């Protein structure tokens, strides 16, 4: 038969299936509801932020409204604690980490003092070069010594036919020598020149002495060999006391 009868009700096959589905749903739904209710009941209520009271025991309206004394609502600023100016963060928050103190910079190591450079050895002072002997003048006076009665001058037959002014002036000093006495004679030493040049030189010397009071008979001429390459020659005059040379 496709149906049953229980307590006066007729139960069909379709009813059996419906009842079975309801029972299964109740088995799964009721435990889920119980577990969910237990989970919500175990959660703790949210923490209420502490209330900060003002100087008179009243709540600070700025803080109770969610704003900080600095007016910007930031939670990075904390109220000062006491007179030292430190900050105490509210419970549950960490204080700002202080910046690390910079390490002191090491002083630079002084550089080593360089050793003094030895002074160079002074070079030996070279010996002074002797001054060259002054070259005698081509013509004119060379030297005179009135005390000894000696006079020297240079004569150039190619440049002159009489004594130069310097030689004439020196001869004026020469005749003032104390060796010039009435009995003294003058020795005149001249170079060995050609006859015409010798005659011209003797005439020039004789005239110069005559102008100073010494006559030709007191003059004695002697010659010496002169170099053929020389253009000027030295003449020596000397007072010779008490002698007569023929």
């Amino acid at each position: 038969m496709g149906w049953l009868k229980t307590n006066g009700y007729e139960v069909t096959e379709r009813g059996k299936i419906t009842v079975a589905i309801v029972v299964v749903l109740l088995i799964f739904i009721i435990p889920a509801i119980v577990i969910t209710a237990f989970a919500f009941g175990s959660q703790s209520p949210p923490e209420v932020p502490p209330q900060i009271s003002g100087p008179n025991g009243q709540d600070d309206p700025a803080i109770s409204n969610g704003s900080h004394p600095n007016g910007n609502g930031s939670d990075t600023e904390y109220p000062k604690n006491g007179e030292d100016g430190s900050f105490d963060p509210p419970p549950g928050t960490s204080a700002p980490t202080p910046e690390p103190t910079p390490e002191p910079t090491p002083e630079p190591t002084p550089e080593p003092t360089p050793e003094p450079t030895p002074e160079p050895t002074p070079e030996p002072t070279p010996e002074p070069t002797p001054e060259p002997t002054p070259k005698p003048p081509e013509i004119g006076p060379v030297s005179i010594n009135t005390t000894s009665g000696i006079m020297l001058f240079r004569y150039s037959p190619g440049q002159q036919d009489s004594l130069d002014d310097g030689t004439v002036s020196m001869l004026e000093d020469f005749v003032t020598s104390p060796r010039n006495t009435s009995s003294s004679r003058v020795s005149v030493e001249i170079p060995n020149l050609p006859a015409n040049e010798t005659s011209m030189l003797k005439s020039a010397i004789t005239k110069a002495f005559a102008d100073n009071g010494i006559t030709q008979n007191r003059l004695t001429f002697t010659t010496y060999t002169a170099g053929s390459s020389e253009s000027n020659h030295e003449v020596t005059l000397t007072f010779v006391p008490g002698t007569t040379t023929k």
Side-chain angles (χ1 to χ4, degrees):
M1 292 179 67
W3 53 275
L4 294 176
K5 185 175 181 181
T6 302
N7 295 329
Y9 298 95
E10 292 182 356
V11 181
T12 63
E13 292 293 333
R14 182 178 298 175
K16 292 179 182 179
I17 295 171
T18 303
V19 172
I21 292 172
V22 172
V23 172
V24 171
L25 293 175
L26 290 176
I27 292 173
F28 285 99
I29 293 172
I30 290 174
I33 293 172
V34 172
I35 292 172
T36 303
F38 180 78
F40 278 102
S42 64
Q43 291 182 355
S44 60
E47 295 183 1
V48 179
Q51 299 293 329
I52 301 175
S53 301
N56 298 328
Q58 298 179 358
D59 294 340
D60 192 337
I63 298 177
S64 62
N65 291 336
S67 61
H68 290 270
N70 58 4
N72 55 11
S74 173
D75 58 355
T76 58
E77 299 290 338
Y78 304 106
K80 293 185 177 180
N81 182 18
E83 297 179 356
D84 57 355
S86 61
F87 293 93
D88 290 337
T93 61
S94 60
T97 304
E99 296 183 357
T101 304
E103 298 182 358
T105 304
E107 296 182 359
T109 305
E111 297 181 357
T113 304
E115 297 182 358
T117 305
E119 296 183 358
T121 304
E123 297 181 358
T125 304
E127 297 181 359
T129 304
E131 296 182 359
T133 304
K135 185 178 180 181
E138 292 184 358
I139 58 174
V142 176
S143 64
I144 184 174
N145 187 333
T146 56
T147 304
S148 300
I150 300 174
M151 171 182 165
L152 281 76
F153 68 94
R154 298 191 73 83
Y155 177 81
S156 175
Q159 300 183 38
Q160 58 188 136
D161 55 3
S162 62
L163 300 183
D164 60 274
D165 295 340
T167 300
V168 172
S169 177
M170 181 180 285
L171 192 143
E172 293 175 356
D173 294 334
F174 174 68
V175 297
T176 62
S177 169
R179 296 227 176 210
N180 181 15
T181 64
S182 59
S183 61
S184 64
R185 299 185 62 85
V186 179
S187 172
V188 181
E189 187 178 12
I190 61 174
N192 185 14
L193 300 174
N196 60 331
E197 293 180 357
T198 300
S199 176
M200 183 174 56
L201 177 58
K202 287 182 176 181
S203 296
I205 295 174
T206 301
K207 181 178 183 304
F209 273 108
D211 292 338
N212 288 275
I214 297 178
T215 59
Q216 182 178 0
N217 60 358
R218 293 183 59 188
L219 304 180
T220 302
F221 289 93
T222 60
T223 60
Y224 67 91
T225 304
S228 58
S229 61
E230 294 181 0
S231 60
N232 54 75
H233 310 277
E234 188 174 274
V235 178
T236 306
L237 306 177
T238 308
F239 278 110
V240 181
T243 60
T244 302
T245 303
K246 294 183 181 180

